[in-house]
Amino acid sequence: MHNSFIARNPSVLWFLAALGLFTFGVTLLSEATGIGLISTSFVKTLGKTLCLCLIAIAMDVVWGYCGILSLGHFAFFGIGGYAIGMWLMYARTETIVLSSLAGQTIPATPQEISDAIGNQIFGVVGSSEFPLIWAFSDSLVLQLAMVVLIPGLLALVFGWLAFRSRVTGVYLSILTQAMTLALSLYLFQNDSGLRGNNGLSGLQNIPGFEATPQATISIIFFLASAFALGAGYVFFAWVISGKMGSVVQGIRDNEARVRFLGYQVEGYKLFIFTITAIVSGIAGALYYPQAGIINPGEIAPIASIYLAVWVAIGGRGRLYGAVIGAAFVSLLSSWFTGGGAPDINLGFYTIQWTDWWLVLLGLSFVIVTLYFPKGIGGLFDYLVRKPS
Amino acid sequence: MIATLLEVSGVTVTFDGFRAINNLSIQFPPTGLRAIIGPNGAGKTTFMDIVTGKTKPDEGRVVWGEENISLLGLSESDIAMRGIGRKFQKPTVFEAQTVRQNLAMALKNPRGPFAVLTHRKTAENAAKIDAIAAEIGLTDSLTRIAGELSHGQKQWLEIGMLLAQDPRLLLVDEPAAGMTVEEREKTTDILRRAAKTRSVVVVEHDMEFVRRLDCKVTVLHEGAVLAEGSLDHVASNQTVIDVYLGRGHA
């Protein structure tokens, strides 16, 4: 069965080979495990890019295959990041507090330790109490479960309400965007329990690995991200192959027809919406320890819109298209906005890419949508001509 | 064998004050062909919408099968699973997918997401798909993308998808629209064969095609049954001539 799945989806094998080669190359060139040609910070950038590719394939499944233009998947990504960030911050602060209290002649009581940790984490928003949502933050296992459970449950409840009412198209997109905006605004508040606009920081320091250099940590996260992307790719390729793929694409192309065939369209949408939300959460949990910091701005609706732009530019309805779009556009974006691109002096006006990149991106999006609806991924159709 | 598979009685639907269906009562036996004709706005499509669960009537009953289940309040997918298949006026097949995929999706099998996710191809299903493809004359086109098919072939594919669902009642909306004479003959044959084991209801505009079907005819007018019987019988009815048939000759 597995053989036939690969045989029917040769692009999966090609993708895994390309990903493996890329991962191997980066490992050989990194500071920790190779000759040091790639700096640690660039390894982190590449690792983060792989996480963005992972959420992009999730977006492609929900939008490109199922036709739900969700503008909320970056919210699930952020929730995954917050969930892992809570443990990272708690565990690290606990280590620091314990070591600073270790010198005292009278051992500190558990209450004093807890207060000290709370003070360290929440002092910045004028509090020292642990909010209820931090109840499991001392347990890595439970917080890892949260990475999956919270985006999954949120998607399940939100999707159930939205799909049951048969909200579709633009209205659904607006609804998902409203959800994202509400979440982001809530997190900006100081009493949200997640440090308001400060967000969670110091996430690059992994508790228990204080002695391990960042170069090593970065390559480990890079490899983990590559593995997650590969696994996610195979998983989604499997989901959208075969009959499930038929039904899901049928829903995209003609929802009513699928319903009259006897399929409960809402159940299928909910399934796709929820599994893609979970994968987005996992991608976020891998992303933010590499970014080092997460704040509510990351969840703002614009992030989810970028996600849709990546997938559109890369090519909707093919998983590798989403990967190409996310990698290409996000790396290009950091090159342009990071001052990597040289300014263009027109004599009367100087184009500074830090300001003009968004204009360029918007323009490319319009051009791709109008003239190249298949995106960059569509170029592969010219390479691989189907025998007719 | 029950006498009535589907019974619609006293159904009324109003859209913004307009009575699309007005105290409509109509019955269908478990097998056989029936044609529903009527001028535009007679309520033919609304009637189908009610039976398939797309539109909820204001009044009336729609009763189905041996157990006399009311179809009102059931979802479209639920009604489809109980054995009512519908073909739309415009051929609506999944154009991005192959003929085989279209038929496989319609094939009577568990419809839940997890059953579908873990679905494996079986020889039994493949044989059923081959048989249906042969019936609708698309055996050579199984691997083609449905979007590439001709208009007539799309119509047949959709009828094939209906057959794959193995419904007890087939509602077919203008199957002959845009077809050539030969294609119409073939469509008539397919529908006649299907009607041997199930109830087939054809909503049609085209009198020539209805004549070819050679079956009981129900004339709808202003949301109610105007006349019923053989085509010659209804065609001789003066009211029918006035409201419908007369127009063609006027």
Side-chain angles (χ1 to χ4, degrees), chain B residues 203-221:
Chain B
V203 168
E204 197 41 88
H205 231 60
D206 184 327
M207 295 308 290
E208 200 44 52
F209 185 73
V210 173
R211 187 168 296 282
R212 222 189 280 277
L213 288 175
D214 187 25
C215 64
K216 188 174 172 183
V217 175
T218 301
V219 184
L220 285 193
H221 179 56

Side-chain angles (χ1 to χ4, degrees), chain B residues 31 36 43 59 70-71 73 79 86 94 112 121 136 149 151 171 178 180 182 227 235 237 243:
Chain B
T31 62
I36 294 183
E59 286 171 42
S70 169
L71 294 182
I79 291 175
R86 175 176 189 178
F94 300 107
K121 288 180 178 166
I136 57 174
L149 298 178
H151 178 80
L171 297 171
T180 63
E182 298 92 86
N237 182 317
V243 304

Side-chain angles (χ1 to χ4, degrees), chain A residues 342-359:
Chain A
D343 295 344
I344 296 176
N345 194 344
L346 297 175
F348 58 94
Y349 187 80
T350 306
I351 294 180
Q352 288 178 317
W353 286 114
T354 41
D355 298 331
W356 279 87
W357 157 243
L358 275 185
V359 178

Side-chain angles (χ1 to χ4, degrees), chain B residues 140-214:
Chain B
D140 298 333
S141 306
L142 275 173
T143 54
R144 283 176 71 194
I145 300 292
E148 299 172 355
L149 298 178
S150 73
H151 178 80
Q153 286 174 317
K154 282 181 193 167
Q155 296 275 33
W156 293 329
L157 174 57
E158 201 181 355
I159 294 173
M161 287 164 73
L162 277 188
L163 296 175
Q165 271 177 271
D166 196 19
R168 298 179 64 193
L169 174 69
L170 252 98
L171 297 171
V172 191
D173 202 350
E174 297 197 21
M179 279 190 171
T180 63
V181 176
E182 298 92 86
E183 286 174 335
R184 279 158 186 249
E185 269 171 22
K186 199 172 147 186
T187 307
T188 318
D189 291 344
I190 295 172
L191 292 176
R192 279 229 198 89
R193 276 199 295 273
K196 284 180 182 154
T197 50
R198 62 193 100 226
S199 193
V200 178
V201 178
V202 181
V203 168
E204 197 41 88
H205 231 60
D206 184 327
M207 295 308 290
E208 200 44 52
F209 185 73
V210 173
R211 187 168 296 282
R212 222 189 280 277
L213 288 175
D214 187 25

Side-chain angles (χ1 to χ4, degrees), chain A residues 59-309:
Chain A
M59 180 68 183
D60 195 19
V61 169
V62 78
W63 182 33
Y65 285 89
C66 198
I68 304 167
L69 175 52
S70 163
L71 295 178
H73 269 59
F74 238 89
F76 303 126
F77 187 86
I79 291 171
Y82 267 102
I84 197 67
M86 285 157 81
W87 175 76
L88 287 169
M89 233 183 144
Y90 178 90
R92 181 159 163 271
T93 313
E94 184 185 37
T95 316
I96 294 168
V97 165
L98 286 182
S99 68
S100 74
L101 291 177
Q104 287 183 339
T105 41
I106 308 163
T109 63
Q111 186 58 45
E112 284 172 335
I113 294 171
S114 168
D115 285 348
I117 299 171
N119 221 2
Q120 279 287 324
I121 295 178
F122 300 108
V124 67
V125 287
S127 166
S128 61
E129 292 281 307
F130 268 100
L132 198 62
I133 48 171
W134 285 71
F136 304 125
S137 59
D138 57 336
S139 159
L140 173 61
V141 176
L142 287 176
Q143 282 303 133
L144 282 177
M146 295 298 152
V147 165
V148 174
L149 285 177
I150 298 177
L153 284 174
L154 181 63
L156 201 65
V157 173
F158 178 88
W160 186 72
L161 290 170
F163 300 142
R164 196 184 56 125
S165 317
R166 303 232 173 135
V167 181
T168 53
V170 179
Y171 299 100
L172 186 67
S173 301
I174 293 171
L175 214 57
T176 54
Q177 188 165 25
M179 174 198 82
T180 312
L181 185 62
L183 186 72
S184 169
L185 291 178
Y186 175 71
L187 288 175
F188 264 118
Q189 294 185 336
N190 279 345
D191 56 5
S192 66
L194 288 163
R195 305 193 350 138
N197 66 344
N198 305 288
L200 306 180
S201 54
L203 308 184
Q204 74 278 19
N205 304 305
I206 310 302
F209 294 89
E210 286 80 2
T212 314
Q214 278 295 314
T216 309
I217 290 177
S218 71
I219 200 76
I220 289 170
F221 269 96
F222 171 81
L223 291 174
S225 306
F227 175 78
L229 177 59
Y233 194 95
V234 172
F235 172 70
F236 281 130
W238 173 71
V239 167
I240 52 145
S241 74
K243 204 168 163 188
M244 185 56 141
S246 273
V247 175
V248 164
Q249 289 173 70
I251 291 172
R252 174 192 67 193
D253 295 336
N254 194 337
E255 196 178 310
R257 191 76 192 83
V258 177
R259 215 170 256 139
F260 286 119
L261 280 179
Y263 290 95
Q264 253 202 314
V265 168
E266 288 70 37
Y268 281 83
K269 284 185 174 176
L270 199 54
F271 172 73
I272 294 292
F273 194 67
T274 306
I275 57 164
T276 53
I278 289 172
V279 170
S280 301
I282 294 170
L286 280 164
Y287 180 95
Y288 287 105
Q290 303 183 71
I293 181 164
I294 180 169
N295 61 58
E298 305 271 330
I299 297 179
I302 187 72
S304 295
I305 294 173
Y306 280 141
L307 182 59
V309 171

Side-chain angles (χ1 to χ4, degrees), chain A residues 359-383:
Chain A
V359 178
L360 185 68
L361 181 63
L363 213 61
S364 331
F365 178 58
V366 172
I367 292 171
V368 165
T369 314
L370 288 180
Y371 300 106
F372 309 98
K374 287 182 169 181
I376 302 171
L379 296 175
F380 284 84
D381 289 350
Y382 295 105
L383 290 175

